[in-house]
Amino acid sequence: MTSAPVVDLLSAYHPLPGVYDEMVDGTGQLREHWGHVGAVLEGLGMAELQRRQAEAGSLLDDLGITRWRLDPLPILVTSDEWARIESAVVQRAELLNLVLADLYGPRDLLAKALLPPEVVYGHPGFLRACDQVLIPGAQQLFTLAVDLVRDRAGSTWVLADRAKTPTGVGYAIANRTVTSRVFPSLHRNAQVHRLAPFMRALRAGLESVAPDTTREPRIVVLSPGPQSTTAFEHEFLATNLGYSLVEGEDLTVRGGQVLVRSLGRVERVDVILRRVDAWHCDPLEFKADTTIGVPGLAEACRRGTVTVVNTLGSGVLENPGILPFLPAIAHHLLGEELSLPTVPTWWCGERAARSHVLTHLRDLMVLPIAGNGASEVIRGWQQPQGALDDLRRRIEAEPGAWVGQERVDLASTPTLTDRGLEARSGVIRTFAVRGGDSYVAMAGGLARVSADAESAASATNGTVSKDTWVLASEPEPMTATWITSGPAVVPVEPAASMSSRAAEHLFWLGRHAQRAENAVRLLRVVHDRRAEFQHAPNPAGTACLHALLAALTHVTETFPGFVGEGAAERLAHPGDELQSVAVDSGRKGTLAHSVQLVLDNAHAVRDQLSLDTWLVVSSLRRDLLDQPTLGRATLGHVLSSLLALAGLGAESMVRDPGWRFMDAGRRIERALQLAALLRATVTVERDEPTDSLLLESVLIAAESIITYRRRYRSRAQLATLLELVLLDTDNPRSLVYQFDRLKEDLEAMPRADGGSRLSPAEVRLLETSTALRVADTLDLARAGPAASRPELDALLVRVTGGLHATDEAIRAAHFTHLLPQRGILTPADPLAARALHALLR
């Protein structure tokens, strides 16, 4: 291969000594396929490259990927080399598919001694309950991930196979999205193979494995929930494939069929793309104490009424004890050599292999066949002698439980750091998915490189990710486009495509977003009044400020705050308490707590939210949760993000059931917050100067001050304030406006009975709305004994109770399979809810 001249920027780059480098050859010259990219990097310069690296980090943050580091410089692979890799990956998928089918079928490999029974039966991935369970078609292995490494000489090896729930497709595509935006012209001119064909193959493959009894399969993505470390990928797959994201509690098995609990009904599920470990998929067959599985799922698979992929039990293929036997199995099943060899591996259950491992213990990687991935790899060269002696005794005591694997000095690849380009070792994970009568491989993959020059790269943990660019030798033709001809496609009914769990999370997303918005507005008013009157000799101003501080505690329910024990000291020096109410995410009722719950609920329904919405959600975390303190200027940023979130909901979301629940949550919360604010401020009469300041503050917090001034000029009265914020049907902030919108939402919600009678929630709302509408604002504003306003207070108490009753009726009717939210403030903690739910059922 012809070498290109090195450019100045790269002249300071030093490959790892004695190993193959992806970018430069042994003489320090750029490899030919790096020529164009190297010239572009030189033109940009280090300062610009580091700016783009920061941009990549921001883009990942905007996507909601917070546990991910991306080096925007890709790994480059020529089209010819990738053709060989692609063919080898497809061959490996076909081989492992035959192995999987045999292990859960005739088990000829065991009978013919091509695989030791101890290797198979000693691995937790082999599930006896899945014996003879088949999915439609010849490919029992649906997807496969293969971890590839290049050694010091430049040869490519297979390090491991991932078949349980192969992770990384979503992250690979997210990396491609980011790198193509950070280097748009470079990506375009390099003619990089696209990843979209793989996603189309994944969709087609899922449709092809549906039971033969269905023409329009219902496909869902099964996730353990938003607390999973790979939740982003589950959400990404559901969103980009157009399938519902479900959790175990969304599914039920009845009559041998898997059903999803949709709004007001149950719908049959035909295919499940699972991202839950098989041991947790069915408590009746596998792990009995799991709270994230579906009782009866394995039996439904046996009956063939549902297809679960990857197949339950496919995790046995991740057994490192199988690796030493694959060459012979390939000869037996395929009649050919493996195109890509596996890193030399020895199963210690064989005497000769055990002797080799024990003799070379310090030079090998040792891992248990029943281990849990890279975290349990023991690198002999890193162990003290005492640890090696202990390991030797463990192997001798139970030899069949261990394998030894040759140490591979990995090739290096350039990685952008604060110090410039530095060499790092790397691993590439690529993917294959069922396609036709064989497999389709992704043209690229998810690369991971070591965090520093000394540590080893891992395909899973503690490393930096990269995109992998397969460079086309000529422009890539567009094939298998998204648009298809044929009969008109029947759309899925909106209510059928949403689980009641998702509807509940959207409901609480609306609730907490509105709660956060109200908290910001009230905090801003408090900050402004504090700036005016904290140290000014103005009795009315001080009284107004103290009333607002007490109202802040009542509205946010952050007791004791400014009303309980120690309130006098906090009223005199409110700074620390105000900061706590703003930024303490661990304290119930604070602004930060509400925003954290917005993020939690948004994560749970990410597949329902647009990318633009997620950009706003991500900015909330940066503007508030990452801030140690919060001033008025930052409150403005938070408010802008919350208003943007509300605006996207109002102008960009289809008015489907999900939107109705989110809007209903927002309306209930806005009404409750307004009622709480009024009870805390205007149900007691004060002196005229104080009440004047307080009424103005209430109007500002209720976003009605401009309308009030325009309508009533400067003649402020409580009765006219109440007219505007309680009864004005054209004021989007008034109580009656919330009731009108909530009525529309309730009427549009799915009904299980399909009847025309008012639902319990509509009855409660009608009763409360009627009481409000017949109220006389002059009577409400009239002060009684002890300067109180008893009629106003009684009405606000009734409104609050009616809203709580309406809220409870909505949850009872539509969120039947989840535990109730804790009180009115916070949804149940997901982990605690699942644990308690398991006990109750």
Side-chain angles (χ1 to χ4, degrees):
M1 182 177 289
T2 304
S3 295
V6 71
V7 292
D8 292 341
L9 176 67
L10 307 178
S11 60
Y13 174 72
H14 301 292
L16 297 180
V19 301
Y20 180 93
D21 187 78
E22 298 285 351
M23 184 174 70
V24 299
D25 62 20
T27 67
Q29 302 295 301
L30 281 177
R31 300 188 185 278
E32 182 179 18
H33 62 285
W34 269 87
H36 171 67
V37 174
V40 172
L41 297 181
E42 172 66 13
L44 292 174
M46 190 54 61
E48 176 61 17
L49 287 177
Q50 290 175 335
R51 187 196 69 78
R52 297 197 185 199
Q53 185 175 44
E55 180 186 356
S58 295
L59 289 171
L60 283 177
D61 193 55
D62 289 342
L63 290 172
I65 309 177
T66 58
R67 302 173 181 175
W68 199 252
R69 293 175 59 195
L70 171 64
D71 173 24
L73 298 187
I75 290 179
L76 305 184
V77 184
T78 66
S79 190
D80 289 342
E81 182 180 13
W82 193 261
R84 294 189 293 272
I85 292 175
E86 180 179 49
S87 175
V89 169
V90 169
Q91 179 203 45
R92 198 170 186 91
E94 291 174 340
L95 174 62
L96 292 177
N97 169 63
L98 295 175
V99 172
L100 182 67
D102 179 76
L103 292 180
Y104 290 103
R107 285 185 279 282
D108 288 337
L109 295 175
L110 302 183
K112 296 178 180 179
L114 289 165
L115 264 179
E118 188 178 356
V119 168
V120 176
Y121 299 139
H123 189 262
F126 181 77
L127 304 179
R128 290 167 173 79
C130 296
D131 185 50
Q132 307 300 321
V133 174
L134 299 175
I135 66 174
Q139 290 87 7
Q140 297 305 297
L141 175 63
F142 184 76
T143 55
L144 175 70
V146 181
D147 292 339
L148 305 173
V149 295
R150 201 193 292 274
D151 65 13
R152 63 168 49 244
S155 300
T156 302
W157 298 77
V158 174
L159 181 64
D161 303 295
R162 305 297 176 192
K164 184 166 52 179
T165 55
T167 300
V169 171
Y171 292 104
I173 296 177
N175 283 356
R176 175 62 54 84
T177 300
V178 171
T179 56
S180 63
R181 291 180 182 176
V182 171
F183 296 118
S185 59
L186 177 60
H187 177 266
R188 180 176 59 253
N189 295 334
Q191 298 183 10
V192 182
H193 278 281
R194 301 166 64 246
L195 302 183
F198 182 84
M199 291 298 290
R200 288 195 290 269
L202 176 58
R203 175 190 288 276
L206 289 168
E207 293 176 352
S208 73
V209 297
D212 294 335
T213 56
T214 181
R215 295 180 59 187
E216 294 290 339
R218 175 73 183 272
I219 303 171
V220 299
V221 178
L222 177 61
S223 168
Q227 306 301 319
S228 168
T229 57
T230 56
F232 164 78
E233 173 150 288
H234 315 159
E235 299 154 358
F236 174 90
L237 290 172
T239 301
N240 284 270
L241 293 171
Y243 303 142
S244 297
L245 182 67
V246 301
E247 298 178 27
E249 57 195 7
D250 297 325
L251 303 178
T252 184
V253 178
R254 301 179 188 175
Q257 293 187 337
V258 177
L259 308 172
V260 60
R261 295 181 175 96
S262 299
L263 291 170
R265 70 178 84 181
V266 291
E267 301 280 338
R268 174 173 170 172
V269 173
D270 302 296
V271 180
I272 298 174
L273 176 60
R274 72 174 175 94
R275 286 298 180 263
V276 174
D277 186 282
W279 274 100
H280 292 274
C281 278
D282 187 342
L284 298 182
E285 303 270 3
F286 308 125
K287 189 172 172 57
D289 60 350
T290 183
T291 61
I292 59 175
V294 184
L297 180 61
E299 176 61 24
C301 291
R302 288 192 199 96
R303 297 190 184 190
T305 60
V306 70
T307 299
V308 175
V309 292
N310 260 354
T311 322
L312 294 176
S314 58
V316 70
L317 297 177
E318 296 190 5
N319 183 351
I322 291 178
L323 297 178
F325 304 99
L326 282 183
I329 293 173
H331 274 289
H332 175 72
L333 295 178
L334 301 178
E336 57 192 34
E337 301 277 350
L338 284 174
S339 299
L340 276 181
T342 305
V343 171
T345 307
W346 296 269
W347 176 56
C348 295
E350 292 182 326
R351 178 174 299 181
R354 179 169 66 255
S355 176
H356 176 85
V357 171
L358 293 176
T359 302
H360 300 88
L361 205 54
R362 183 167 291 282
D363 302 318
L364 299 176
M365 296 187 297
V366 180
L367 55 159
I369 67 170
N372 192 27
S375 62
E376 298 192 25
V377 173
I378 301 171
R379 295 174 174 84
W381 59 93
Q382 295 178 345
Q383 305 302 312
Q385 187 59 47
L388 287 180
D389 292 341
D390 179 65
L391 178 60
R392 182 185 305 275
R393 287 189 290 269
R394 295 170 67 189
I395 293 173
E396 289 173 339
E398 196 176 5
W402 298 88
V403 299
Q405 195 169 63
E406 187 173 289
R407 174 181 180 177
V408 180
D409 292 324
L410 301 180
S412 60
T413 188
T415 303
L416 188 62
T417 73
D418 293 340
R419 297 173 296 277
L421 293 183
E422 296 188 0
R424 298 284 187 267
S425 57
V427 177
I428 294 177
R429 175 172 291 183
T430 192
F431 306 88
V433 64
R434 166 179 172 151
D437 58 358
S438 184
Y439 289 86
V440 175
M442 176 183 284
L446 175 65
R448 305 299 300 272
V449 295
S450 56
D452 53 61
E454 287 73 32
S455 61
S458 162
T460 54
N461 296 318
T463 51
V464 178
S465 69
K466 278 177 170 284
D467 192 8
T468 303
W469 288 7
V470 178
L471 307 178
S473 55
E474 57 187 28
E476 184 182 15
M478 286 287 293
T479 59
T481 56
W482 192 32
I483 297 177
T484 59
S485 58
V489 178
V490 178
V492 177
E493 186 178 347
S497 65
M498 176 172 294
S499 67
S500 56
R501 176 193 56 82
E504 181 171 15
H505 280 296
L506 285 168
F507 177 78
W508 283 100
L509 176 60
R511 290 286 298 270
H512 292 300
Q514 186 60 53
R515 174 170 284 274
E517 181 184 326
N518 281 80
V520 171
R521 293 187 185 281
L522 188 51
L523 278 167
R524 291 211 308 173
V525 171
V526 169
H527 272 283
D528 289 343
R529 291 306 189 203
R530 184 184 178 205
E532 286 183 89
F533 301 117
Q534 177 72 39
H535 302 294
N538 187 318
T542 300
C544 173
L545 175 59
H546 287 181
L548 289 173
L549 290 170
L552 179 66
T553 298
H554 282 290
V555 172
T556 60
E557 299 188 13
T558 51
F559 299 104
F562 296 105
V563 297
E565 184 178 352
E569 175 63 24
R570 287 187 285 273
L571 285 170
H573 305 283
D576 289 345
E577 175 68 9
L578 286 175
Q579 283 299 314
S580 176
V581 173
V583 302
D584 187 353
S585 60
R587 182 180 177 187
K588 184 178 178 180
T590 66
L591 170 60
H593 187 253
S594 294
V595 169
Q596 183 61 63
L597 291 171
V598 169
L599 297 179
D600 292 346
N601 283 281
H603 272 291
V605 289
R606 180 171 181 145
D607 60 313
Q608 305 284 334
L609 304 177
S610 69
L611 178 58
D612 288 343
T613 301
W614 202 254
L615 296 179
V616 175
V617 171
S618 297
S619 71
L620 276 173
R621 184 185 65 252
R622 291 193 301 269
D623 289 341
L624 179 58
L625 299 185
D626 295 342
Q627 301 296 326
T629 60
L630 203 65
R632 194 185 191 286
T634 313
L635 284 172
H637 295 312
V638 175
L639 182 58
S640 296
S641 295
L642 289 167
L643 292 177
L645 183 62
L648 284 166
E651 298 297 329
S652 297
M653 288 185 67
V654 175
R655 269 40 174 179
D656 61 5
W659 183 88
R660 291 295 179 184
F661 282 102
M662 187 172 72
D663 190 65
R666 183 176 288 277
R667 299 303 169 187
I668 289 173
E669 193 64 44
R670 184 177 289 182
L672 284 170
Q673 292 276 302
L674 179 58
L677 176 63
L678 293 174
R679 281 201 75 199
T681 54
V682 298
T683 54
V684 174
E685 185 180 40
R686 299 171 178 82
D687 60 87
E688 189 171 288
T690 299
D691 270 347
S692 295
L693 288 171
L694 199 54
L695 293 186
E696 183 182 48
S697 301
V698 168
L699 286 167
I700 294 172
E703 189 61 9
S704 298
I705 185 66
I706 294 177
T707 300
Y708 188 89
R709 285 172 175 165
R710 187 173 60 246
R711 182 175 298 178
Y712 300 106
R713 309 287 170 83
S714 58
R715 293 182 284 274
Q717 295 178 336
L718 178 58
T720 52
L721 178 147
L722 296 176
E723 188 72 35
L724 179 62
V725 300
L726 293 183
L727 301 174
D728 192 330
T729 57
D730 293 324
N731 179 10
R733 298 283 166 174
S734 74
L735 274 181
V736 74
Y737 188 93
Q738 312 317 311
F739 289 168
D740 288 346
R741 303 292 79 74
L742 183 56
K743 176 176 179 291
E744 295 171 1
D745 292 333
L746 294 177
E747 290 172 346
M749 288 180 182
R751 298 189 182 211
D753 57 9
S756 58
R757 293 177 58 86
L758 293 178
S759 68
E762 289 175 297
V763 171
R764 302 293 177 269
L765 181 66
L766 179 59
E767 292 170 346
T768 309
S769 177
T770 301
L772 175 64
R773 292 173 191 272
V774 299
D776 187 316
T777 55
L778 291 175
D779 291 338
L780 296 176
R782 189 173 295 114
S788 65
R789 296 188 173 99
E791 290 194 26
L792 177 58
D793 189 64
L795 176 64
L796 294 174
V797 169
R798 181 169 183 178
V799 165
T800 300
L803 288 167
H804 285 316
T806 304
D807 161 66
E808 291 167 2
I810 291 173
R811 288 190 275 151
H814 299 286
F815 312 145
T816 53
H817 70 287
L818 287 182
L819 290 174
Q821 304 280 349
R822 289 181 301 195
I824 196 64
L825 283 178
T826 63
D829 174 80
L831 298 180
R834 291 189 182 107
L836 182 56
H837 192 197
L839 293 175
L840 293 177
R841 68 183 181 186

